[in-house]
Structures are given as C-alpha cells and as structure tokens.
Amino acid sequence: MSRIGGPRPAPNRVAKFHTPEIVVGPGSFPETGAVVAGLGVQRPLVVSDRHLETTPWYAQLLDGLRAQGLTPASYLDVTPNPRAGEVADGFTAYRAHGADGLIALGGGSVIDTAKGVAVLASNGGVILEYEGIDRVRRPLPPVVAIPTTAGSGADVSQFCIINDPERRTKVTIIGRTLVPNVTVIDPTLLTTAPSEVTAQAGMDTLTHCVEAYVSLAHGRLTDSLVLESLTGVWGNLERLVDDPADRLAGEEMAMASLRAGMAFTNAILGAAHAMSHPVGGHCDAPHGTINSVLLPHVIRYNAFVCADDFVNLADAVGLDTSGDPQVVADRLADAIAGLATRVGMPDTLTPLGVRAEDLSLLTRHALADSCMVTNPRRPEESGILDLYRQAL
C-alpha cells in the first residue's frame, strides 16, 4: 500500500513543471498595471464579462493601466462555457484596437476566452482547429490572468476549454504556449463572486486535486501540491460559500486553487473532466457543478486500479482510513458527495438537463477528450456509459 498521507514514489521518468510568474496575496491586484507594463505591452485588450463590469475591480483595473501610460480596450461579451464565436469576436476586438497583449479579469471562462484570442492573434485560423495536444505552434502575445474565482486553475494551466456549439461539446486545447505569462492572485477579488459560483469553483478545485493525484502523469511535485490544496478546500470551501467576506477562508481557497491548478496542468486530469466537458457543451451547465456530480462515481470506477491512492486522499481530509482500500475509496466518494450537497450542488445530472437519450453521444465525446488519456483506469465505452447512467 502507498504510504498514507505522504507522496508516492515518483514515476521513473524526467518531468517538466510549467508555471507562469505568480504575483499572489492581498493587495496584489493594484500591481497589475506595473506587471503589464513590465511585459512591454502598450495596448492591452481586457477580456472580462458583464457581471465583472459592475464590480469595483473592472474600473480599478482600467485606471491602473492608464496610470502606467497604457491604452486599454475591452471585450466583455464572455459567457459561461464560452463559445468559439466569442473567441472570434474577441479577436476582432483585439485587431480593431491594435492590441499587443491580453489581460483576463474573471473566472475560467474569461481566462480561456483570452487564451483563445491570443492563439488566433499569433497562429490565425479558427480556435476549434487547435483541439488536442500541442497543436498551437507559434508563441502567443503576452497574457496576464487575474482570477476572480477560486477554482478553475486556468490562470496557471496549459488548458483552454472552448464550447463547439455545432457539435454541442467542449473542445480541449492543451499546450505549453497556453500558460499565461503572469497570474495576479488577490483573494480580495473573491468577495464579489456569487455564493453559487464560489461553490462551483471550489468543487472544480477539489476535482482537480483528486484527478491530478491519481493521474498516470502525476509526480512528486504534483502530489505534494494536491495534498496541500485538498486540505485547504476541505477546511474552507463551506466557510467561503457561507460568508464571501471571510478573509481567511478566501485566502486559503485562493491558495488551494493555485496549488491545484499547478498540479493538474502538469499531471493532467482524468475521466471526471473528460465526461464533464461534453455535458457542459451539450447542456450549457456549470463545469464545477457537473464535476461535483461525476467525481464520486469516477472515484469508485478508478478505485479498482488505484484504491491505495484514494486512501492517501482520504487521510489528507481526516477520514477513517481503516479497512479495505476500496471501502476507504467509497468512504471518500461519499464524503465528497456530502460536501457537494452542503454547498448547494445537485446530486444527479438530471437537473442540469441531461437525458437518458443523450448518454451515448456524451460517452463518445468523453472518450475522445484529451483528459481521458491520463485516467488511471483504461476507459471502455461500456464503463463510461455506465458511469453516466449512475449519475443520471
């Protein structure tokens, strides 16, 4: 059995570990103007959304950029589960402004849109053409990410997730060039996120932890980051959902999101995310909510090949680890489902709009998703279809 609560032996391979420059802590947000200027950007395009336009952060960001002598413009028409057309419209705004860099102020949808615009700015074409791994060949213009939720990890990741409306699924784009140049993580910005968004983002962070830990591409660095992140989520997510002004909970969740993001971008993910992406594209449902429903089922599915790893994760959050490892994995799955319920998540996919007749199509899309490559249990169509049925 793996050593409970500690890192496992690293795989016998050479690994690279990718992160952006990280500016983190309360009060880091006002440093954004200097960060952008330091990258040599003069005409940044700010990518954000209409909710954030109404918060203090949007105006403060523009004022800070102008104070540095920069000339910003904005693209604000980003929606949850951003469509390929939004990336194209953002690129139109980028060209019209004569922009030379991007700033993403928002959650994962905003940051992914900004990454997509950056891809088109240097590589051309249509964003959906870059689906898969390492298909973005040319370096991107500078990208600065400012996360306003604690969950997506997009600000430190090599992932870009874009909705393909025609196929009604999400496209996963992975590559080192997609890692932002700088991320500015100020937990103060979390105070304006709606509680349901905080809950969704937190469950996304938790899913990143579990999937990165059992991934076939895990390593010593990712393991240690996961264990710290998981304990942070377990002790603070409910507090932040209940009270967005809880300063300490916000700081801990921001750090948990950062650690989990650094872990999963290097270890990659697994079946929960591969299954979540098609549901998000098909039903336009929140990503973190979908993950919260799927993750307990995926834990039980993967426990047939890596139950000992789930014992370590159970130990990290203070669960009873006595008994057979598969029983402990079940215990962890139940505890995660309980946490999801307490923060307001549904316990099935049905309220999100998934129907029994959708499951075969969702299964085909899930099996083609790049995140499935590093799932510890080799997926088969019948097994993934059964997981969807269990979650319905």
Side-chain angles (χ1 to χ4, degrees):
M1 183 182 294
S2 304
R3 185 163 63 90
I4 294 177
R8 298 159 288 172
N12 186 23
R13 58 180 171 79
V14 175
K16 292 185 178 181
F17 194 87
H18 301 279
T19 64
E21 179 181 338
I22 300 168
V23 182
V24 61
S28 57
F29 178 58
E31 302 297 318
T32 304
V35 167
V36 176
L39 293 172
V41 175
Q42 293 296 314
R43 299 180 64 83
L45 179 71
V46 175
V47 178
S48 194
D49 61 36
R50 295 298 176 180
H51 165 70
L52 282 158
E53 185 185 18
T54 68
T55 68
W57 320 128
Y58 176 72
Q60 288 179 25
L61 175 59
L62 293 183
D63 289 345
L65 295 171
R66 293 182 182 120
Q68 290 288 328
L70 309 183
T71 306
S74 299
Y75 174 67
L76 303 174
D77 292 325
V78 178
T79 63
N81 300 317
R83 282 76 170 158
E86 293 169 32
V87 175
D89 290 344
F91 178 49
T92 298
Y94 184 92
R95 286 191 302 182
H97 182 54
D100 55 358
L102 292 121
I103 304 168
L105 175 69
S109 295
V110 165
I111 297 171
D112 282 346
T113 301
K115 290 181 181 181
V117 172
V119 168
L120 299 188
S122 59
N123 289 262
V126 176
I127 193 60
L128 300 178
E129 297 173 346
Y130 297 97
E131 179 179 8
I133 301 173
D134 289 335
R135 299 191 65 185
V136 179
R137 301 297 186 186
R138 297 175 182 171
L140 275 53
V143 176
V144 174
I146 311 168
T148 59
T149 63
S152 78
D155 58 305
V156 295
S157 84
Q158 58 176 322
F159 284 66
C160 176
I161 312 297
I162 302 297
N163 198 342
D164 180 352
E166 291 189 10
R167 289 192 293 158
R168 294 183 68 185
T169 191
K170 285 183 172 181
V171 164
T172 302
I173 304 167
I174 305 175
R176 300 184 185 108
T177 58
L178 294 168
V179 179
N181 296 74
V182 185
T183 179
V184 179
I185 303 172
D186 190 332
T188 308
L189 275 61
L190 303 180
T191 59
T192 56
S195 291
E196 64 269 23
V197 172
T198 298
Q200 293 159 7
M203 293 307 298
D204 196 17
T205 294
L206 194 153
T207 308
H208 294 156
C209 290
V210 173
E211 295 217 283
Y213 195 77
V214 302
S215 165
L216 295 177
H218 82 93
R220 286 275 180 91
L221 277 173
T222 61
D223 288 352
S224 60
L225 287 166
V226 161
L227 295 175
E228 286 191 84
S229 176
L230 187 59
T231 56
V233 174
W234 210 258
N236 294 280
L237 176 57
E238 289 180 80
R239 289 175 52 190
L240 190 61
V241 169
D242 291 341
D243 181 10
D246 187 326
R247 180 187 60 81
L248 181 58
E251 291 180 14
E252 291 299 317
M253 282 302 300
M255 291 302 298
S257 177
L258 170 61
R259 291 180 176 121
M262 290 192 294
F264 89 77
T265 191
N266 288 282
I268 317 299
L269 293 161
H273 272 78
M275 295 173 66
S276 178
H277 292 153
V279 175
H282 195 76
C283 300
D284 200 22
H287 175 65
T289 302
I290 305 166
N291 280 343
S292 74
V293 174
L294 291 171
L295 182 60
H297 299 286
V298 172
I299 288 173
R300 295 184 179 98
Y301 175 80
N302 283 333
F304 282 93
V305 298
C306 60
D308 289 349
D309 294 338
F310 293 120
V311 174
N312 287 355
L313 295 177
D315 183 67
V317 297
L319 299 180
D320 177 11
T321 57
S322 62
D324 183 83
Q326 290 201 6
V327 173
V328 178
D330 282 338
R331 201 173 290 150
L332 175 65
D334 289 342
I336 289 172
L339 174 61
T341 298
R342 294 194 298 274
V343 297
M345 298 291 100
D347 57 4
T348 71
L349 296 175
T350 301
L352 304 180
V354 179
R355 303 166 302 173
E357 54 264 39
D358 300 328
L359 300 187
S360 293
L361 176 63
L362 295 175
T363 297
R364 289 197 296 273
H365 286 313
L367 288 168
D369 192 284
S370 299
C371 292
M372 198 66 87
V373 174
T374 45
N375 191 68
R377 182 175 178 181
R378 185 179 180 88
E380 296 180 353
E381 184 173 353
S382 59
I384 300 304
L385 180 59
D386 190 51
L387 283 176
Y388 275 129
R389 286 175 177 149
Q390 293 171 24
L392 195 60

